[in-house]
Amino acid sequence: MKEKFYILIFILFFSNLIFGQKAKLNISIDDRIETLYSVAYFDNYFLVNKHANIYKNTLDQKLTSLKNHRAVALFDTISKKYNFSYYRPIEWILQYSDFPKFEKIKTKSDAEDETITKGKEYLLEEFRNELTKFNQDSLFQNYLKAIKPINEKIINKILQSKTIRYLPDYLEDYYGTKLSSYNLILSPLIHSGGFNAEITNQKGEKEVYAVIGPNGEIDFYPHFDNDYLETDMILHEFGHSFVNPLSKKYEKEIENLRIKYYDKKLEKSGRQQGYSQWKYVFNEILLRAIVINISRSKFGKEKADKLLEFEKSGGFELVETVSKKLNIYETNRKKYKKFEEFYPVLLNELK
């Protein structure tokens, strides 16, 4: 009996080594992000969402005195004058531990990208101190306690999705590679859209984050539509972590495709969506094509066709061409076990 027991343990251990653990999606509303974006809200920051909701109403009615906090004034300065905007504040704050210690314990994966204008780094330490004081203010602590049940309600609604927990597996199956962690952070104050961030932890592992804002409100509560979250945001934003390193590696080859595809119409469409250079437009088109193809495989043709028509209506007709070229990869997975092996082939196919 003892021999059989040890054999069973060995089989379980060996199976775990061979097949590995399924990827897990961590879902949360993060007090660090909410502290940062409460400061941003009081500063009328342009990337705060435009939807009225219970969070904004509570901030306006019960925390008005915090509008004059030093953290708000400092954020105004560094965001407007010193390039601390867009994804940078999010990427910065994810490197720090939770309040009240709020100490830097991680690093951003792209060390070359500046968080703030060179020479103004000392302002970030000042902002860290002021943000800690803002968070520890008794009024703000009462606010965090008041919204905690609302946060839990929002997360529980998201967890009702039958597919959201499988999205990391879909990504890893498609790209043929794994990431150490997948973290979805919902933020009721962030604009309708989101940010992708890659943070390296103390073990040297890459942690990937998608920080997402609501795409509407229902009865004064932030609404995170499941379709919007799963395809437009999670598959897309996490996809950056698989695709961006390849885009950087093959930047010259991507540039060679400019003459064929980057006409005035596509340039205009790209700029309207916030992408001012061909390499960024191509990267977005590729990611959106991949999301469409994953959706076709996992959610059905109707969903994929709807996504494709949306991209074409926004001027990204090239998505359809790239989507079809990706079929070469998808039908030859024995040859191309990882997407990184197929990437140069795709660029050659698009010549």
Side-chain angles (χ1 to χ4, degrees), residues 104-146:
K104 187 171 182 179
I105 56 173
K106 301 176 183 179
T107 58
K108 59 181 181 177
S109 296
D110 187 359
E112 296 178 7
D113 186 25
E114 294 178 355
T115 302
I116 195 170
T117 302
K118 197 170 183 179
K120 299 295 180 180
E121 294 85 359
Y122 67 94
L123 291 174
L124 289 179
E125 179 59 22
E126 187 178 341
F127 183 57
R128 185 188 76 85
N129 291 329
E130 293 300 331
L131 197 62
T132 303
K133 293 175 186 176
F134 184 96
N135 174 271
Q136 293 305 296
D137 186 280
S138 58
L139 280 176
F140 193 73
Q141 284 296 310
N142 288 336
Y143 165 76
L144 290 177
K145 289 177 183 177

Side-chain angles (χ1 to χ4, degrees), residues 63-110:
L63 282 77
T64 51
S65 64
L66 290 179
K67 288 183 179 181
N68 299 317
H69 197 283
R70 171 67 178 153
V72 178
L74 192 53
F75 180 78
D76 184 79
T77 298
I78 59 179
S79 63
K80 291 178 179 176
K81 293 183 178 180
Y82 302 124
N83 213 28
F84 188 67
S85 57
Y86 293 99
Y87 64 90
R88 293 180 183 89
I90 296 294
E91 189 178 62
W92 171 79
I93 205 166
L94 289 173
Q95 297 173 59
Y96 286 79
S97 63
D98 293 335
F99 293 106
K101 284 190 175 182
F102 198 49
E103 298 172 334
K104 187 171 182 179
I105 56 173
K106 301 176 183 179
T107 58
K108 59 181 181 177
S109 296
D110 187 359

